[in-house]
Amino acid sequence: MLHDYLLLEQEINSGFCFTIKADAENKITHCFWADAISRQSYKFYGDVIIFDTTYQTNRYSLIFAPLMRINNHGQTVVFGAAFLSDETTYSFVWLLKEFLNAMPGGAPKMIITDQDPAMEKAISEVLPDTFHRYCSWHILRKFSEKLDAIKCRDHYEAFRKCIYSSENEEEFELKWRSVLAESVLSGHNWLQSIYEIRFRWVPAYMNHVFSAGMSSSQRAESAHSFFKDYVSDKNSLVEFMVQFNRGMLHKRHEELIVDHIDVNEKPRFKCPIKMEKQMSDIYTRKYYYKFQDQLWESYNYNLEVRSEDENKCTLKVTREDHEDGRAPGHHV
C-alpha cells in the first residue's frame, strides 16, 4: 500500500522521488521520499540541515528520519524524509546517499545531529567536507538523566549559562571549570565526555561556522512539535503519509501567508537612518525585526578608540548599564 501510495504521488507530480528497499522476506527496511517543493527548497536553504532520528511515529516501530532546516521566515522546512528499520551505519549511509542524489546543489556545509557513533561514521563517509555539529538541545536534555537529581536541580542553570553565554573559548573554559568546582562534579564521566567533544556543540567554539540559528532549543522543539501535531505511533505507514502530507500542506500555506505579508506590508521603522530602509528591502519581516532590535540595542554602547594607524583601528566597546559591559545574548 505504501509503494502504491508513493507511485501515485509520483504520477501526480513528476518532481516527486522515492526509493524503497526491502529484505529477503519483502519487508520494508528503508524508504526515502522527497517532493518537488522540498527539493526546490534545498536550493535556497540546503547549506545547513538538521538530521533527526528521535521520532517513533508508526505502529511498525520503523524509525522516522526527516532532514530539515528553517526558512527565511524562521519556519520549519522539510527537504526529505525516510523510514529506517535500524540505526546502523549502513542505514545512515544509504539514506544520506539517496538524499544527495535527490537534492540539487550538492552537499550541505553543516549537518546538525544527535550524538550517535553510527551516524558519525556515515556522515564522515558520505559527507566528508560537511561540518558535523551535535545538537546542543539534545545534550542539554540529557543533564537530568545523567546527573544526580539534586545536582541537576542546583547547577543545571549554571551549566546552561556557561554553554550559551560564553562568547569565546577562553571564557567557556573558565566558566566550565568554575561550575564543575562549585558543583563538585569535576570527576563526572559523562560531563568529561561531553567536554571532550565541546568543539562539536558548544557555540563559543563554532561561531565561525554559519548554522542558521538552528543549534538552539527553540528550533529543535519547533521541529518536534510540528510532527507531534500530525502523526502518532498508532499510524499505519499510509496513514502516516496522509497525515505527514497534511502537515506539509499546512506549513506551506503558512509560508504563503507570510510571503504575502512581506510583499504587501512594510515594517515599522524606529530609527531615522537609511540602513533601516535598506534592510527592510532585503530581510523578511521576521529577520528584519531581529536586525532592528540589534540596531536599536547598538545605541546603548560607548565606543572608545584605543589605538589607530593606517591599517587598523582598535575600539573598546562597553555598555554602562550592564555589569560586565556586554548585552546578554549579543556578541560585541
Side-chain angles (χ1 to χ4, degrees), residues 220-245:
E221 286 172 349
S222 172
H224 276 247
S225 65
F226 165 59
F227 293 112
K228 285 176 183 175
D229 286 345
Y230 286 95
V231 297
S232 91
D233 56 9
K234 304 296 190 297
N235 290 147
S236 70
L237 297 184
V238 173
E239 286 169 344
F240 174 92
M241 292 299 297
V242 171
Q243 291 294 99
F244 175 79
N245 283 341

Side-chain angles (χ1 to χ4, degrees), residues 1-7 10 16-23 26-33 62 81-83 94 98 237 241:
M1 288 175 67
L2 176 65
H3 187 240
D4 289 345
Y5 181 92
L6 295 172
L7 282 173
Q10 199 170 57
F16 184 91
C17 66
F18 75 93
T19 309
I20 290 182
K21 188 176 175 63
D23 62 16
N26 215 29
K27 292 179 180 177
I28 293 175
T29 58
H30 304 76
C31 176
F32 169 80
W33 71 93
L62 285 171
F83 292 127
W94 180 90
E98 291 298 325
L237 297 184
M241 292 299 297

Side-chain angles (χ1 to χ4, degrees), residues 145-320:
E145 171 192 334
K146 300 293 185 179
L147 300 187
D148 170 84
I150 304 298
K151 295 276 190 186
C152 187
R153 182 198 68 192
D154 293 344
H155 302 287
Y156 172 80
E157 194 53 41
F159 276 112
R160 191 180 186 285
K161 189 174 181 182
C162 164
I163 291 160
Y164 284 120
S165 298
S166 298
E167 293 189 356
N168 53 55
E169 299 171 20
E170 294 78 14
E171 185 179 344
F172 172 80
E173 299 283 347
L174 286 170
K175 286 183 176 178
W176 184 263
R177 285 196 293 270
S178 173
V179 178
L180 286 180
E182 187 179 328
S183 61
V184 197
L185 286 168
S186 297
H188 194 280
N189 290 336
W190 181 74
L191 288 175
Q192 180 60 29
S193 72
I194 63 168
Y195 173 78
E196 288 172 359
I197 57 169
R198 60 196 180 281
F199 308 99
R200 288 281 186 89
W201 67 278
V202 175
Y205 290 87
M206 293 176 293
N207 288 329
H208 64 291
V209 185
F210 178 68
S211 65
M214 291 197 298
S215 61
S216 68
S217 59
Q218 292 91 342
R219 299 301 179 205
E221 286 172 349
S222 172
H224 276 247
S225 65
F226 165 59
F227 293 112
K228 285 176 183 175
D229 286 345
Y230 286 95
V231 297
S232 91
D233 56 9
K234 304 296 190 297
N235 290 147
S236 70
L237 297 184
V238 173
E239 286 169 344
F240 174 92
M241 292 299 297
V242 171
Q243 291 294 99
F244 175 79
N245 283 341
R246 279 186 62 199
M248 295 288 280
L249 285 170
H250 179 71
K251 281 289 177 188
R252 287 165 182 172
H253 179 66
E254 289 182 336
E255 184 176 357
L256 286 173
I257 290 172
V258 288
D259 278 343
H260 178 77
I261 292 171
D262 272 1
V263 170
N264 293 286
E265 297 181 22
K266 289 297 181 184
R268 298 181 304 275
F269 297 152
K270 281 185 178 180
C271 311
I273 58 175
K274 288 183 179 179
M275 189 188 298
E276 271 214 308
K277 173 65 170 64
Q278 290 171 334
M279 294 303 102
S280 71
D281 292 335
I282 294 171
Y283 289 136
T284 60
R285 287 168 67 89
K286 168 82 174 182
Y287 288 100
Y288 169 75
Y289 283 125
K290 285 180 177 289
F291 159 78
Q292 188 186 67
D293 287 344
Q294 293 188 19
L295 178 65
W296 191 250
E297 184 75 19
S298 71
Y299 290 106
N300 292 316
Y301 290 86
N302 295 320
L303 303 181
E304 178 186 338
V305 177
R306 283 298 183 88
S307 63
E308 187 173 7
D309 58 33
E310 293 180 358
N311 302 313
K312 184 173 64 174
C313 177
T314 303
L315 302 171
K316 181 182 179 183
V317 185
T318 57
R319 175 170 169 165
E320 293 180 354

